[in-house]
Amino acid sequence: MPKADRAVIVGASLAGLSAAHALRDVGYGGRIILIGDEHEPPYDRPPLSKQVLRGLYSADTSLPQRADLDATFRLGVGALGLDTLAHRIYLSDGTQIVYDRLLIATGTRARPWPNGAEAASPNVYTLRGHADAEHLARGLAGKPRRVLIIGGGFIGCEIASCCRDLGLDVTLAVRGALPLAHALGSVTAAFMRDVIRDRGVDLRLETEVARFQADADSRVVAAILRNGQRIEADCVVAALGALRNTEWLAGAGLAVSPKGVRVDTHCRVLTATRAVVPDVFAAGDIAHWPSAIYGNRHLAVEHWGNAVAQAETAARNMVAGEAGLIPYDHLPDFWSQQFGLNIKLVGLPTGADQFAVVQGSLRDRRFIGVYGAQGRTVAAVSVDSARWLPAYRAAVAEATPFPPIVGALDQADIRPQPLAQVVS
Amino acid sequence: MSAISAKPGGLRVSVDLNRCQGYAQCCYAAPEQFALHGHEALFYDPAPSAEAWGAVERARVACPVQAIRLECPTADRDAEG
């Protein structure tokens, strides 16, 4: 491969940096150019909603970079358009860049509060990037009398946990019947509901915020719920999930949807008619990929582990040539730290119809739970029991009959129970 | 070009918390930089001061599941394994 060869990575976050490292690991000697719309070098996001909001340690979470990475960064520059025929990217500073091979890793952004005027209030926050975290941390340091968090996903719950650690009163408004229900299923979600309430959070379920009331300075002073109730709050966090950054790909003829950019099993980007686009790959939150483990279902996840692993496979395939392509598959996994608990999940509980605690107990707040769908093991959750998880991870990867691993000496009675379908 | 170099200036740490199993060896090796909250939720300093390099390197080596990644632009790469 000639030294003049140029690999361009659009998106300078975890997936983009991981791909750059992987390109060097496989001996790629061409130029690597990372383009990122934020002004900072690649940084780690998971600590933002945990230790950074609490003010623990350094707020600088920039990721380790190997000394011999030899990559060029163009930061504070967004991509505006892509011409795959000309191998050209149009950038927000008016310049263009030509690639020999391209990785799309533009990830996601926080879904904003839908009312733009309200979202612009100085005490209405979202959390996705480093600047968001520092902004919100300053807001929390101002000792608001009550923080209102809208959204019962992991980010919302982690922020609520930080607020309690900071001694702040907090209301968590969740649209569904349980927090975290989509990700964890009804039994674990009900367990978390009790944990969250025990830790002093005013958890409001089946609650939707209709609008805010603001003072003369446009600062929110209260939220009005759909049922007419009023919650006084002087700090509001909209934790409504993420939107994929695909806008710059409009007009490029790619298979793009709200779930991201469709790729094949080799992380190669596909056109709207499902043809492989030469020399264009995607990885991380932006990629909508077929999972062999889950029957070639297309997955779109927002997980740290997927960003790293998929970027590595994509990078290898970027330089492999047709004969050397390797397939990507990955068992989804993630962790969350909240209310003093370490929660880890492997697999996808979506569509599971059974659940069983197989180690520990809900009462002790330390357990492993497994999820079954049509008699097969499809996911496992760990609460403060991480050392048991690898065995169950293997059972999930192999889709062993549910429940897996019965009769071990350290297990209590396993009593599978039906899993209710809950909309969160 | 709007930015040429984007190398972090000093020691940088990241931990693969999918991999971490809460053995807490890092917390013994570098107690100022790693701490458990509750039984096994690990918090850590992502950008420790240069003086902490020895302790953080010991933490990296001590991790039974090799979950800690550490880069120090000024350190000898051989020492980082």
Side-chain angles (χ1 to χ4, degrees), chain A residues 183-379:
Chain A
L184 296 179
S186 60
V187 177
T188 315
F191 165 82
M192 286 308 300
R193 170 198 61 202
D194 297 345
V195 167
I196 291 167
R197 287 192 166 144
D198 278 0
R199 302 296 170 102
V201 174
D202 170 32
L203 174 63
R204 309 278 186 102
L205 301 172
E206 297 178 311
T207 295
E208 286 194 68
V209 173
R211 61 189 175 86
F212 302 135
Q213 288 179 338
D215 65 13
D217 299 326
S218 302
R219 292 184 65 85
V220 170
V221 293
I224 307 297
L225 307 182
R226 289 236 184 271
N227 66 12
Q229 282 183 334
R230 184 173 183 272
I231 298 174
E232 284 196 14
D234 48 354
C235 177
V236 176
V237 187
L240 306 174
L243 297 172
R244 289 179 167 75
N245 294 319
T246 57
E247 287 78 1
W248 70 285
L249 300 170
L254 309 182
V256 171
S257 75
K259 294 196 160 184
V261 183
R262 189 70 85 91
V263 295
D264 72 0
T265 186
H266 301 116
C267 309
R268 296 184 294 184
V269 167
L270 301 177
T271 67
T273 55
R274 304 293 186 265
V276 169
V277 180
D279 307 314
V280 183
F281 298 75
D285 293 5
I286 197 80
H288 191 200
W289 52 280
S291 166
I293 296 173
Y294 289 99
N296 285 325
R297 230 170 91 195
H298 280 76
L299 306 184
V301 299
E302 298 157 29
H303 299 162
W304 192 95
N306 180 64
V308 173
Q310 197 168 30
E312 287 172 359
T313 301
R316 292 172 68 113
N317 287 340
M318 283 169 80
V319 296
E322 190 78 30
L325 293 171
I326 52 172
Y328 179 67
D329 209 0
H330 173 74
L331 193 58
D333 55 0
F334 66 85
W335 73 89
S336 174
Q337 298 161 332
Q338 48 180 289
F339 303 103
L341 300 178
N342 192 35
I343 303 163
K344 301 177 85 163
L345 194 109
V346 295
L348 288 178
T350 324
D353 48 35
Q354 281 196 299
F355 180 85
V357 172
V358 291
Q359 293 281 1
S361 72
L362 299 179
R363 200 180 49 204
D364 294 337
R365 296 193 166 172
R366 294 191 86 159
F367 64 93
I368 298 270
V370 290
Y371 301 76
Q374 287 148 19
R376 295 283 164 183
T377 305
V378 293

Side-chain angles (χ1 to χ4, degrees), chain A residues 21 41 44 47 51 54 56-58 60-67 72-75 77 304-305 333-335 337 340 342 344 366 384-387 390, chain B residues 1-4 6-8 12-23 32-35 37-47 69 71 77:
Chain A
H21 277 134
D44 215 12
Q51 57 200 49
R54 286 176 172 86
L56 298 172
Y57 304 120
S58 171
D60 179 352
T61 65
S62 52
L63 286 159
Q65 275 181 39
R66 44 189 273 187
T72 303
F73 287 82
R74 295 190 62 177
L75 300 177
V77 181
W304 192 95
D333 55 0
F334 66 85
W335 73 89
Q337 298 161 332
N342 192 35
K344 301 177 85 163
R366 294 191 86 159
D384 277 354
S385 302
R387 272 167 244 174
Chain B
M1 291 252 171
S2 38
I4 305 300
K7 256 189 205 7
R12 289 297 181 279
V13 177
S14 74
V15 182
D16 181 345
L17 291 172
N18 285 317
R19 198 176 266 266
C20 172
Q21 294 179 16
Y23 284 100
E32 302 290 311
Q33 285 77 33
F34 297 87
H37 284 229
H39 291 294
E40 60 176 47
L42 181 71
F43 288 5
Y44 62 92
D45 191 343
R69 177 154 187 184
E71 292 284 352
R77 277 200 58 78

Side-chain angles (χ1 to χ4, degrees), chain A residues 9 28 37 70 79 105 135 192 199 360:
Chain A
I9 299 170
Y28 177 69
D37 61 356
D70 190 23
H135 185 45
M192 286 308 300
R199 302 296 170 102

